Amino acid sequence: MSTDRPWLPAPIAWQWQADCVVPAGVVSLDAAQLCSFPVGSLGRPGEAAVKTAPVCFAPLRVWTLRPEVPRLRVVSVVAVGSVVAVGPALRVRSFVFDKQPPPTKIQPRGQPLTNEHPRLSGGARVPADGQHRIAPPRDLVKLEDRLEYILQPSIESLLAERALHLPCQPLPFQLQGVAFLYPRQAAILADEMGLGKTMQAITAIRLLFHAGKLRKVLVVCPKSLVANWQREFSRWAPELPVMVVGGDQARRAWQWQLADVPVRIANYELLCRDRQWLESPQLVPGRARHSRRSTIACATETALRFDLVVLDESQRIKNIAGTTSQVVRAIARKRSWALTGTPVENRLDDLMAIFEFLAPGLLRADMKPRQIGRAISDYVLRRTKEQVLRELPPLLYRDAELELSPQQQETYDLAEREGVLRLTDLGDAATITHVFELIVRLKQICNYDPATGASSKLDRLRADLEEVASSGRKAIVFSQWVETLQWLAGRLRDFRPLQYHGRIAPEKREAVLARFRQDPRCWLLLISYGAGGVGLNLQFCSYVFLFDRWWNPAVEDQAINRAHRIGADQPVTVSRFLVLHTIEERIEHILQQKRELLQEIFAHTDCPAQLGLTQEELFGLFNLRCPGGPIRQAA
Amino acid sequence: MHKMGRTGELGKAMKNGISPVNGSCFGFLTVVTDTQHGLFGGYLILNCSGRPLEFHCTAPVRPTRAQQILYGPTLEEFLFGEHIGQTLLRQSQLRPLVVCTDCPAALAVRQFSPAPVVLVLDERNLAAPSSQPEGKLMRIDGPHGTAELLRFEVGPNRLAVPCAADEDRRLAQERLESWTNSLDLLEPFERIRQAIEEAKQAVCQYG
């Protein structure tokens, strides 16, 4: 045996291994003292591998195989993808030597170091063993902090280590979501509706509590979801005490001041009312004057600084100038997470408003969509059902295209004629409010004629519900008006309908859902888009009826996903009621275009353009000229 | 002489509710070869739950020409065991029950460690062709005589110590038994490699 490095003695340890990864190409011998099998030397299985004096993989020792060196015969080879720079690496499953092993050295298991991080889009690492490890976010600069996350065991191990019981085994993409949230100071979990954002956030919070990284968490959500969050916390983190902030002012003041409350849940509206305690990180008004109470004030200061603030349905702060947005942005906090299935509900400004909460200054108004996409890529994790839930039951659309009944038609025509005449008379004085009034009036007539009670939609719904009831399954009916729901409830008594909307007291809503879930005689739940469009888990329902259509496709999708989500074990049929030759058909035509645009944009970039109905489009519904600019809040 | 330094240390982990108790932790030592920079040593100490307590890694190490000549066939053992391993173990404030390594040459660190040092065998290394009955892992030390490995198993993990270190095998078996019944002792080395990669990038980026 000889070597081209005369100062190196003969090898003392010959080791060989099968199933090693052989990087492609020959690395410079002088620079790195490391070399590898040239790709060309690895022949097909069974062929002699050493054809032209290749060099063997040997850290610190460089050996050149001379003709007298035994020939390597590869038994099986499989490509494993690009590892270095030259070309695909080859995994040698096994090989044998003609005489004796060449002087190779066992490479530490795994692949050789590369400059590429095996990161997923969300920053979680999924190594070969399938475990989900935590990868530090890009904005974490300090090496020690980054290493702290890298050196943590996998999410699975963290859960097992503390014997943290979970009600069911999370899906792999959910663990990836947990690993994404865990290290982040600012993050948007923007999974499509129904993929378990709440559960992922709670599990991440739970792990951070157990790691000692969190002590005070504030979850802000729509009022209708408070009970849902409370329930989910009791399922996924039963050991964490949770307080729902509510009651009269004195009670809320007391609740905000309590020091040892790990998790608080508050709704957006309440937050605005309690801004006096939240916006100022220093003092509760009226307390600082009294020296005796300065201790309380200091305690309050501590209590109102949160380690984490989670905004559920964070599109609620899309109006950056709105009170809600201002209040949540003023809350003193270390970490900020946002959960939303529709990070861009109408236009790019929605996303920018959320980022003003998460990472102020990260996005600027003059940035192009591509720049924004790059800037936020490490902050956003979004998965769609198509990507991760291929096994979810199908979603079947069965649009019901109806005609108005004669009485409805008469009322409708009269209302439209009068409305258009009025708008025409107003001329340039016509405002968007006038247009909306007319649209709402016409849409309500499409639902039912208030004078006669005639409704082709009701007739169709009743027929469908009889089929639903006979099959023993359950259905939910969405409408944007509480009046319509109450009117329906009166006419569908045979189906024992339950109602869930803004006129049902919040403390009674959970009982409504529980009854609907448990009572086999209750087949029907009447829900308003506003109260029940988000956050509810109704995956035991097989039928969804959209009695009237919302302005924005994203909101309709949210509603449909109450039933079509994780846990659904049977196909979900969606019936979208549409009255032909009416305002509904005209709006539907525009919404369909919007929906297609949304899909197209998200297929190429995460930065959708404007999606709401513009003022031109709304005036165009009545063939009227638009006097002004775009409507900012169409949905 | 090559630069040897500490580029990363997990001081915070010890403050975050994980109380380091000497004797109830385990060390993991590995050396990663980088084609551009040389050898990086990494030493991670975990508690019984697999949580990191300490981490140290070295700046890249390259043997000098003089070392290559002087140490000759024992150069690797010198680099892995004495030069890198000893330095890392000395840096550590904790005294683990057992030091695990996945580099055979790093077994040489045993002379500087009060705790037994065991080689964790990669399962893939054990899938030897049937033509090599004993040859799942072969080590033949020519000029220095045989230094065969004594293999043993603890839980799902396949370990080895030098044949002459039977007492180490007994101690390691005893100390690891309750801990590793369900744990993969190879997994921490993956963490070390990721950390070294991160440290390497930081060094490249910020000098």
Side-chain angles (χ1 to χ4, degrees), chain A residues 12 32 105 109 114 146, chain B residues 35 76 122 140 191 197-198:
Chain A
I12 57 163
K105 171 89 181 70
R109 67 192 281 266
T114 70
R146 297 183 67 81
Chain B
T35 54
E76 198 167 82
D122 189 329
I140 305 165
R191 292 193 232 172
E197 175 66 15
E198 192 71 38

Side-chain angles (χ1 to χ4, degrees), chain A residues 6-19 21 27-28 30-34 57-61 75 84 91 93-97 101 105-119 125 127 129 131 133 136 140-154 157-158 161-162 182 207 210-213, chain B residues 7-10 12-13 16-18 30-36 39-40 44 46-47 49-52 54-55 57 61-63 65 68-69 72-77 79-80 102-105 122 124-125 127-129 131-132 135-144 184 186-187 189-202 206:
Chain A
W7 64 85
L8 287 178
I12 57 163
W14 284 11
Q15 298 174 350
W16 62 271
Q17 68 174 126
D19 202 20
V21 172
V27 182
S28 165
D30 293 325
Q33 296 181 323
L34 182 69
F57 186 70
L60 294 182
R61 298 196 185 101
V75 175
V84 187
R91 181 181 293 279
R93 282 202 189 283
S94 59
F95 50 80
V96 295
F97 300 98
K105 171 89 181 70
I106 285 187
Q107 163 79 348
R109 67 192 281 266
Q111 298 181 354
L113 285 174
T114 70
N115 289 328
E116 292 179 2
H117 273 270
R119 287 176 179 159
R125 291 179 285 140
D129 56 6
Q131 303 257 308
R133 292 214 178 85
L140 196 62
V141 175
K142 205 173 166 188
L143 178 62
E144 281 80 357
D145 294 338
R146 297 183 67 81
L147 291 180
E148 186 174 352
Y149 287 119
I150 287 171
L151 291 168
Q152 292 297 326
S154 65
S157 301
L158 286 173
E161 169 211 334
R162 304 240 173 199
Y182 187 95
L207 287 173
H210 282 273
K213 292 177 185 296
Chain B
T7 58
E9 182 177 344
L10 267 187
K12 281 188 175 177
N16 288 342
I18 305 170
T30 192
V31 177
V32 174
T33 305
D34 180 71
T35 54
Q36 282 188 318
L39 298 173
F40 287 88
L44 174 64
L46 302 179
N47 68 5
S49 303
R51 293 260 193 170
E54 268 190 48
F55 176 70
C57 65
V61 174
R62 283 182 190 281
R65 175 75 187 277
Q68 287 169 338
I69 294 169
T74 61
L75 178 64
E76 198 167 82
E77 280 73 12
L79 288 172
F80 282 42
D102 61 350
C103 303
D122 189 329
R124 288 174 296 181
N125 293 334
S131 59
Q132 301 287 338
K136 289 186 175 178
L137 182 72
M138 237 168 32
R139 181 185 168 109
I140 305 165
D141 279 10
H144 292 265
D184 176 11
L186 284 164
E187 182 272 331
F189 296 114
E190 192 59 41
R191 292 193 232 172
I192 300 176
R193 276 188 277 278
Q194 292 286 346
I196 288 175
E197 175 66 15
E198 192 71 38
K200 192 185 77 179
Q201 285 192 347
Y206 304 109

Side-chain angles (χ1 to χ4, degrees), chain A residues 399-404 409 412 416 439 442-443 446 457 548-551 576-593 613 617 620-622:
Chain A
D399 288 348
E401 296 182 342
L402 310 167
E403 299 278 355
L404 288 172
Q409 187 71 56
Y412 181 91
E416 187 172 36
I439 292 172
L442 295 178
K443 286 187 73 174
C446 287
K457 285 186 181 180
D548 45 54
R549 312 295 300 278
W550 193 257
W551 307 100
R576 298 181 292 194
F577 286 3
L578 183 76
V579 182
L580 297 172
H581 318 303
T582 65
I583 188 76
E584 286 194 339
E585 189 179 18
R586 280 173 261 167
I587 293 175
E588 166 58 18
H589 179 67
I590 296 173
L591 289 184
Q592 183 57 34
Q593 291 174 336
L613 290 172
E617 288 164 344
L621 291 170
F622 303 103

